Amino acid sequence: MLFYQVKVACSLVDNGKMQKNYEESQNAWHRLIEDINDTLETDANESKIFMTIYKASPEELFFIAVIDSLESPSSKTLLKFLADCVSEKYGLSLQRKAQMKEISPKEARKFLENSSHFISRNRYWDNDNYSLDYYNNRDFQITEQIFDNFPTNLNAALEDAHTFIPDKTLLEEIKRIYTPTHPHKYQGHPVHYKLSADNKNSALQLATCLCRNLYANQRLVSRCISYISDITEGCFNDSNIESIFRQSAGGTIVIELTGSKEEHQNYTTCYEEVVNFFTEKIRKYQRNTLFILVENTHNPGFTHNLISSLQEEMFFIEIKEGTGNRQTAAKYLQKLLTDGKISYNTEQIEYVLGDKTVFRPSDIYQMYDRLYRNNLRNNAYTAYKEVSRVTLSVKKHAEKDAYSRLQSMIGLQEVKKVIENILDTFRAQKIRSTMGLNQFRPNMHMVFTGNPGSAKTTVARLLSEILNSEGILSSGEFVECGRADLVGKYVGWTAPTIKKKFRHAEGGILFIDEAYSLVDDCDGSYGDEAINTIVQEMENNRDDTIVIFAGYPDKMERFLEKNEGLRSRIAFHIDFPDYTPQELLDILHLMASEQELTLGAGINEKCREIFNKASQTDNFGNGRFVRNMLEQAQIKQASRVMQEYNGKEIDRHILLELKKEDFDVNVAKQYKSNNRTLGFVPNS
């Protein structure tokens, strides 16, 4: 849809209805304008032109026009529609020209809200045709803008792009847009875009540049860009998203895929419903709406999952942020400051540029924000110029990288050694490539065997990060799944489901827990289909995706015996041994320290005794056992403290200290008493 603000000069016909009502009273005039709006709405269906008067005088009428079409209307078309609806019936003479200005849906809503005496509210922006009631949605944020000053030819487009440090991917696409043989008539979108940028300002600059050039070549009908960001996990099946997508036909929707929380580590699971919902809607509206998907390079969010779901049906071109030298960066920063009417001097520019020699547009925007804030305090609100700021001493904890976290884990010496061998293999490949020697990429699929709580999932997740940081895996995605995520409910569903999981895990690790459950059913057809599809996808994606099968040692061995084709594709078999009682005690101390808990006298001896007994039982939980025991001790400590200090003041150290009696817990009783042999049998 296209939204316009329209101004029409007019005059009232002598003795016509409008003149009589105007002379009668203000209320009569308002009632007549509302009656005209009713008439315009009634006559709008066939023409797809929805016009509403929001301001009126005997000399001028102001309209909001909503065009449900992919063709921009001329002022002549709008005037004819108006004249046919109201001129003769209401005694209104219209001039031959109208002033038209495209506006955003939010601007249209603002005009309509301020005209309640002319308009029945619910009729206009709360109906199904063009809802304008989505701006306060809690599950996402939306901003809209109308761009202008679009280039007139290729040279002007390239010159414009060079003002903000373009990457070659942008320049190449601009040249494609201006290909002389392309049709200069709107026919839909042959391609869509993925932008890689570090912040919203830089992404919006890239998107706006693309849209200006597409509009100049009649590849867009509307100059409106809707930017959707801060998408939460609850943003699915949302009618507001449907309204935005429907109303953006002919225009552009930019979707920032970071999500709403930076701490999300596994977008595959927590944003799965969001990805499925947006996939469905983007597919539905892709023909007439340009979609630009934005990946924040520091926090990619669910970018990979969404694009992998769309790439088979849509063609995406990636546009990246450019990089420039110090001179280019200074020139761009000066332009931003000048456009923002912010005073500056050479010393300030040099200071914010610092010692860097390479800059991206996102870096320049951050410097601009800094100078803008300083300008407010030093030049606009000068009373704050000499005020001292609050300074706090903050103790910073450097976050360990994945490799360091793996090395700091308790035990797992053999596991760490195998992973080090894997890394050494690929490091050697890098050295070979620098010497021009032939390279080979070994098969990387793995089997992790071990009892519950032996850190199989944790190590797999860390491995995906490590291999990504080493440049071995391109995305570092970690997708965890089980039988329920892979085997379809009906015949024919399983293969597409598995292929989708592989797309989500592309460039990372697909972790299949309790893999033997795929064939542990009476009806073997579904399991066979699953295994055959997995084997095929393992081969198809061997260069950039690793599959890790995980489960109990004995069951995994029987599973591989049934599937020799699968076994032949496994390069590494890593056994995760049960933790020794001393390692379990070390894990207990580590978990307690992470929660700032202190362990009192006698706890080490008591817990070592518990660990000795528990580790001899079937289904022993290893690290999970320790976690459960610690949680039960905390529950018992809370009960003890509340009884001992009933109504008395409780010091902080009392709440953080666990005593020997707090570990009189029943965790060990949840396991069978059958003794079993400690340790594990290495894979032969």
Side-chain angles (χ1 to χ4, degrees):
M1 291 182 177
L2 305 172
F3 293 80
Y4 291 93
Q5 180 189 19
V6 184
K7 176 183 175 182
V8 180
C10 63
S11 60
L12 307 184
V13 176
D14 290 340
N15 296 318
K17 186 181 292 188
M18 292 194 74
Q19 185 185 60
K20 291 178 181 179
N21 282 57
Y22 182 75
E23 292 174 350
E24 179 182 340
S25 68
Q26 187 178 42
N27 287 336
W29 174 254
H30 288 173
R31 286 196 303 270
L32 183 62
I33 298 300
E34 187 172 355
D35 185 52
I36 293 175
N37 281 334
D38 289 337
T39 301
L40 290 171
E41 182 184 21
T42 303
D43 294 346
N45 293 329
E46 292 185 7
S47 65
K48 300 298 183 182
I49 299 175
F50 301 85
M51 297 191 71
T52 303
I53 300 173
Y54 70 89
K55 182 180 178 181
S57 72
E59 296 81 23
E60 291 179 323
L61 295 178
F62 294 83
F63 295 84
I64 296 299
V66 182
I67 314 301
D68 191 5
S69 170
L70 292 173
E71 293 185 8
S72 300
S74 64
S75 62
K76 184 178 179 180
T77 302
L78 295 184
L79 284 172
K80 184 178 186 305
F81 173 74
L82 281 173
D84 292 344
C85 291
V86 303
S87 289
E88 184 175 343
K89 182 177 180 180
Y90 294 97
L92 182 66
S93 176
L94 303 175
Q95 289 192 358
R96 294 184 178 181
K97 289 186 179 181
Q99 296 181 20
M100 295 176 55
K101 175 186 177 184
E102 185 177 359
I103 59 175
S104 68
K106 187 170 186 178
E107 289 177 296
R109 176 183 177 176
K110 181 179 179 181
F111 286 123
L112 295 174
E113 282 184 331
N114 293 332
S115 306
S116 58
H117 50 281
F118 289 158
I119 305 164
S120 175
R121 174 182 171 84
N122 291 335
R123 189 176 65 209
Y124 287 92
W125 55 86
D126 290 335
N127 63 53
D128 292 335
N129 289 325
Y130 45 104
S131 171
L132 299 179
D133 200 24
Y134 46 74
Y135 296 97
N136 295 319
N137 193 296
R138 296 181 180 180
D139 290 323
F140 64 88
Q141 297 293 319
I142 180 169
T143 57
E144 297 166 340
Q145 72 168 38
I146 301 292
F147 62 83
D148 52 13
N149 301 326
F150 46 88
T152 56
N153 55 57
L154 175 58
N155 290 334
L158 294 175
E159 184 178 349
D160 176 62
H162 276 97
T163 61
F164 59 89
I165 315 179
D167 183 69
K168 66 176 182 179
T169 54
L170 176 63
L171 300 177
E172 289 170 354
E173 176 57 15
I174 290 175
K175 293 175 183 177
R176 285 190 288 265
I177 291 172
Y178 282 85
T179 300
T181 56
H182 286 176
H184 281 69
K185 181 180 180 181
Y186 181 75
Q187 297 183 358
H189 298 293
V191 299
H192 300 266
Y193 299 96
K194 173 201 169 187
L195 304 186
S196 298
D198 276 0
N199 62 35
K200 179 177 179 179
N201 287 329
S202 183
L204 192 54
Q205 176 71 67
L206 286 173
T208 303
C209 178
L210 285 170
C211 291
R212 283 174 174 164
N213 290 290
L214 291 169
Y215 185 83
N217 286 269
Q218 299 184 36
R219 296 260 299 271
L220 287 172
V221 180
S222 171
R223 293 186 288 116
C224 183
I225 299 175
S226 298
Y227 194 107
I228 300 174
S229 61
D230 300 306
I231 298 171
T232 70
E233 297 172 54
C235 187
F236 57 89
N237 297 331
D238 194 315
S239 60
N240 286 330
I241 292 292
E242 182 87 30
S243 296
I244 294 168
F245 281 25
R246 181 174 58 248
Q247 291 169 184
S248 297
T252 304
I253 293 179
V254 181
I255 307 175
E256 185 181 288
L257 305 180
T258 299
S260 61
K261 299 180 181 179
E262 291 189 5
E263 62 267 24
H264 282 320
Q265 296 297 316
N266 189 358
Y267 278 85
T268 301
T269 55
C270 69
Y271 269 67
E272 185 171 358
E273 290 179 291
V274 175
V275 169
N276 292 338
F277 174 66
F278 273 85
T279 297
E280 176 191 349
K281 298 307 173 187
I282 292 173
R283 284 174 178 168
K284 179 179 178 180
Y285 291 100
Q286 62 167 305
R287 178 177 176 180
N288 292 321
T289 301
L290 177 67
F291 287 99
I292 300 178
L293 307 183
V294 176
E295 176 187 38
N296 184 296
T297 50
H298 292 304
N299 185 18
F302 54 96
T303 304
H304 183 81
N305 298 344
L306 182 59
I307 293 181
S308 65
S309 298
L310 293 169
Q311 64 185 2
E312 290 186 3
E313 297 184 26
M314 299 174 65
F315 194 100
F316 285 94
I317 292 178
E318 183 170 18
I319 307 295
K320 299 179 180 179
E321 275 193 297
T323 57
N325 57 29
R326 193 177 183 86
Q327 181 181 359
T328 305
K331 185 177 180 180
Y332 186 30
L333 179 56
Q334 290 169 2
K335 180 181 183 301
L336 292 178
L337 294 170
T338 301
D339 293 344
K341 298 181 180 179
I342 299 173
S343 60
Y344 64 90
N345 55 47
T346 304
E347 289 74 17
Q348 290 174 312
I349 297 292
E350 289 298 316
Y351 179 76
V352 295
L353 291 177
D355 297 329
K356 294 183 66 172
T357 56
V358 179
F359 300 84
R360 292 167 299 178
S362 54
D363 300 326
I364 308 303
Y365 278 108
Q366 291 177 358
M367 297 172 189
Y368 170 81
D369 288 340
R370 181 177 179 182
L371 290 174
Y372 179 84
R373 293 192 301 269
N374 289 341
N375 182 72
L376 283 179
R377 191 177 67 255
N378 296 329
N379 298 324
Y381 300 95
T382 55
Y384 298 101
K385 188 174 182 178
E386 303 299 332
V387 175
S388 300
R389 70 168 66 190
V390 172
T391 56
L392 298 175
S393 177
V394 180
K395 185 177 181 180
K396 295 184 178 180
H397 300 276
E399 184 179 352
K400 294 181 179 179
D401 60 26
Y403 182 82
S404 299
R405 297 201 302 272
L406 174 65
Q407 296 302 319
S408 64
M409 292 180 70
I410 305 298
L412 305 175
Q413 298 307 317
E414 291 301 317
V415 174
K416 296 173 185 176
K417 186 181 298 182
V418 173
I419 291 176
E420 194 66 38
N421 290 339
I422 295 172
L423 293 175
D424 286 341
T425 299
F426 281 93
R427 289 164 182 156
Q429 291 304 305
K430 288 184 179 180
I431 296 174
R432 290 173 63 91
S433 67
T434 61
M435 297 179 178
L437 300 175
N438 291 333
Q439 300 182 61
F440 71 97
R441 185 176 180 98
N443 183 5
M444 288 286 291
H445 304 305
M446 308 177 190
V447 165
F448 283 7
T449 56
N451 288 306
S454 55
K456 299 186 294 296
T457 306
T458 301
V459 169
R461 192 184 299 276
L462 290 174
L463 183 60
S464 69
E465 294 184 41
I466 294 169
L467 296 179
N468 175 245
S469 65
E470 291 279 343
I472 299 169
L473 291 176
S474 60
S475 71
E477 286 288 325
F478 181 80
V479 178
E480 181 181 358
C481 58
R483 174 188 167 87
D485 303 305
L486 298 175
V487 177
K489 296 180 181 179
Y490 305 103
V491 174
W493 284 25
T494 297
T497 300
I498 290 173
K499 289 179 180 179
K500 185 175 180 180
K501 287 294 181 184
F502 269 87
R503 288 199 303 271
H504 286 173
E506 184 179 354
I509 288 177
L510 179 64
F511 184 83
I512 304 177
D513 200 12
E514 298 186 355
Y516 35 77
S517 65
L518 293 171
V519 293
D520 285 350
D521 60 354
C522 297
D523 185 358
S525 61
Y526 291 177
D528 291 342
E529 182 184 5
I531 295 300
N532 292 337
T533 306
I534 289 172
V535 170
Q536 178 185 346
E537 292 300 309
M538 288 170 67
E539 192 64 28
N540 293 343
N541 299 278
R542 61 172 290 168
D543 290 339
D544 200 29
T545 304
I546 296 174
V547 177
I548 298 179
F549 299 94
Y552 290 101
D554 52 347
K555 290 186 176 182
M556 286 301 301
E557 182 59 32
R558 291 196 295 271
F559 170 67
L560 293 176
E561 287 176 356
K562 294 180 181 179
N563 302 276
E564 288 302 323
L566 189 60
R567 181 190 288 274
S568 66
R569 288 170 172 79
I570 303 298
F572 300 95
H573 190 149
I574 304 179
D575 289 301
F576 287 69
D578 290 332
Y579 290 104
T580 66
Q582 181 58 47
E583 288 173 339
L584 294 171
L585 188 60
D586 293 339
I587 291 173
L588 175 65
H589 279 272
L590 179 62
M591 290 181 176
S593 66
E594 288 175 348
Q595 300 183 49
E596 300 185 47
L597 298 170
T598 58
L599 303 179
I603 289 179
N604 284 351
E605 293 74 14
K606 185 177 185 67
C607 289
R608 188 179 287 108
E609 181 181 350
I610 294 174
F611 294 146
N612 275 321
K613 292 180 179 179
S615 61
Q616 301 293 320
T617 60
D618 291 334
N619 301 316
F620 174 52
N622 285 288
R624 296 178 193 171
F625 178 91
V626 179
R627 182 181 296 108
N628 290 339
M629 189 175 73
L630 181 60
E631 289 174 353
Q632 289 197 25
Q634 289 176 275
I635 293 172
K636 192 157 188 177
Q637 180 240 29
S639 178
R640 171 179 59 78
V641 170
M642 296 310 296
Q643 292 178 20
E644 290 179 6
Y645 293 87
N646 185 21
K648 300 178 183 178
E649 184 177 350
I650 303 176
D651 291 337
R652 183 175 185 272
H653 78 276
I654 293 173
L655 292 173
L656 294 177
E657 182 184 19
L658 297 176
K659 294 186 177 181
K660 179 180 177 180
E661 56 265 33
D662 296 328
F663 285 86
D664 291 331
V665 295
N666 297 320
V667 179
K669 293 184 179 180
Q670 65 181 288
Y671 298 104
K672 297 178 182 178
S673 59
N674 300 31
N675 288 348
R676 62 177 175 80
T677 304
L678 285 174
F680 67 101
V681 179
N683 184 55
S684 57

